[in-house]
Each structure stands twice: as C-alpha cells, then as structure tokens.
Amino acid sequence: MTSTAEITEKYIENHPSIKDCLKKELLNYTQLSKLIAKELEIRNKTSIEAIQIAARRYIRKIKSEDINEDKIIEILKQSELEIKNKVVTIVIEKLYYPEKLIEIELKIKKNKDLFYSIEGSNAITIVTNEKYFEEIKKLFSKNLLETHKNLILIKLKSPKIIEKVPGIAGFIYSKFAENGVNIIETMSCWTDNLFIIEEDHLSEVMGFLKF
C-alpha cells in the first residue's frame, strides 16, 4: 500500500508550480495539506496531518537537491555551446547495418561535414548536413521511415568533471520541457551533449542554456 509520504511527494512532483513555491517557502503547509487531501479525496484528519508532515520533510529534501543544482549550474557555466544550422535527420528501417550507409558516412566525413548515426532496436537515425538530404533519401528510398529538415544541432561541451556529478542530463532536459521546446533527437559522447531542435526555437534555447 502506498504511504501518505509517497502520495504527497508524488503529488508535489506532478505539480511543478507547487514544488517551486515550496522551494521558495511561499506556501502555507496547512492550506497545502488541505488542498492535497481534497484533490485526492482524503477525509481522515490523521492523514491530513501526515500530509503536512510529509510536505515539510519534502521541502528539506528538495533543498538538499538545490545544493547539487548549484554544482550543476557551476559546471554548465564552464561549458561551451556550439551551433550548427541546416541540419537534417533521416530515419531508416534497421534490417541490418547497410553497406551503403558506411559508404555515405565515409564520403561525408571525408568532406569534413556533419555525420552521426544512432542505432536503435528497429531503426537507424542519420544526422547530417542538409546538402546530403536528397542523396540519402534516394539511397534508402525503400527503407525510409521519417525525415526532418530545418533543424539546428546544439552541442554543449562541458569540462571533464561533468561525468562525476549526477543529475546534469535531467537538469538540462527539464529546461527544454519547462520552455515547451521539443528535442527532435539527442545523444551524448563523454563530455559532449548534443540536442537537435527545430530552427525556430534557437533563440529561445540559447536563452535558457545561458548560465
């Protein structure tokens, strides 16, 4: 059976505005407890008191998270952003790793252009420059699943210490979610985190990734 503390924490986690107010100590715990009890249809007085206790414990917990958040922000302040425009993604069916894909990869890299391939269970996503879009579409016309054009690739290059601090990826992804920006594709390599977004969101993303 789910405990009152677990129910309370889950409720707060699902309501970011309440969580934010708790962090800033802007909420009355009694009123918050009554609100949670009402919405979750908890009538028992003892349970309402337990909600209040759980909420107070939760504020201590998220304040300790803020200490880690300070570390995350400090690392991100030392990070650099690299932007590439005219990026496309092409998703092909994964029947095998096609020889044609290796050939086009070698060609693009020989030209010192952008190329990434992400291999999933049933598909392979190709990330490259727009000028290769039609050529790749033609090569894999029978196995084509999805394409995206007019994209931007954002590379966040961080110091080596990033691998020792937990929560950085979650913190960054939350910034995209909070600002309503969809990530078309994402990947990472050691200290680099890459995000592919629609070009219309570039200025917005540059704003919330400025630390």
Side-chain angles (χ1 to χ4, degrees):
M1 184 177 177
T2 308
S3 68
T4 302
E6 290 171 331
I7 291 170
T8 303
E9 287 199 15
K10 185 176 180 181
Y11 179 90
I12 296 170
E13 286 289 349
N14 290 337
H15 294 77
S17 58
I18 290 177
K19 183 177 180 179
D20 189 50
C21 287
L22 276 174
K23 281 186 177 183
K24 296 173 182 175
E25 299 187 34
L26 298 175
L27 282 182
N28 179 292
Y29 287 101
T30 302
Q31 294 302 318
L32 174 62
S33 302
K34 289 179 179 178
L35 173 66
I36 294 173
K38 181 181 178 181
E39 291 199 8
L40 300 181
E41 298 183 347
I42 298 171
R43 309 296 182 188
N44 188 293
K45 183 181 177 182
T46 306
S47 295
I48 294 174
E49 290 172 351
I51 291 171
Q52 188 171 339
I53 293 169
R56 289 184 182 278
R57 286 177 179 165
Y58 186 75
I59 187 64
R60 290 196 292 270
K61 177 182 174 182
I62 60 178
K63 278 188 173 181
S64 68
E65 289 176 357
D66 282 347
I67 296 171
N68 191 55
E69 188 172 298
D70 290 341
K71 291 180 183 177
I72 291 171
I73 291 173
E74 187 56 39
I75 290 170
L76 293 175
K77 282 181 179 178
Q78 301 172 48
S79 302
E80 298 177 358
L81 285 177
E82 185 178 298
I83 310 296
K84 290 188 182 295
N85 65 345
K86 296 185 178 180
V87 173
V88 297
T89 62
I90 302 163
V91 184
I92 60 172
E93 188 179 6
K94 181 188 170 185
L95 302 175
Y96 52 90
Y97 199 87
E99 189 175 314
K100 290 184 291 185
L101 183 56
I102 297 171
E103 291 172 0
I104 192 70
E105 178 180 356
L106 290 173
K107 174 184 174 180
I108 294 171
K109 287 185 174 179
K110 187 177 180 180
N111 294 336
K112 297 183 179 179
D113 284 326
L114 175 73
F115 184 93
Y116 295 103
S117 65
I118 307 164
E119 189 173 351
S121 301
N122 303 306
I124 297 171
T125 298
I126 301 164
V127 180
T128 189
N129 298 96
E130 193 175 279
K131 61 184 177 182
Y132 299 105
F133 184 72
E134 294 301 330
E135 182 179 356
I136 294 173
K137 273 183 65 180
K138 187 176 179 181
L139 275 174
F140 301 104
S141 58
K142 294 181 180 179
N143 309 106
L144 201 63
L145 297 177
E146 189 174 65
T147 64
H148 291 280
K149 296 181 72 175
N150 303 317
L151 304 177
I152 297 287
L153 184 144
I154 299 173
K155 183 186 290 184
L156 185 68
K157 303 169 72 173
S158 302
K160 188 178 177 181
I161 194 174
I162 192 173
E163 62 184 349
K164 298 184 182 297
V165 179
I168 290 181
F171 180 83
I172 296 170
Y173 290 131
S174 71
K175 292 295 181 183
F176 283 88
E178 288 167 7
N179 288 276
V181 177
N182 184 42
I183 300 173
I184 303 296
E185 192 57 75
T186 181
M187 63 197 103
S188 66
C189 178
W190 196 31
T191 59
D192 292 351
N193 283 281
L194 291 80
F195 309 94
I196 298 170
I197 61 166
E198 294 175 346
E199 61 182 19
D200 292 344
H201 292 300
L202 178 59
S203 59
E204 190 176 356
V205 173
M206 292 299 290
F208 65 71
L209 287 184
K210 186 178 180 181
F211 297 99

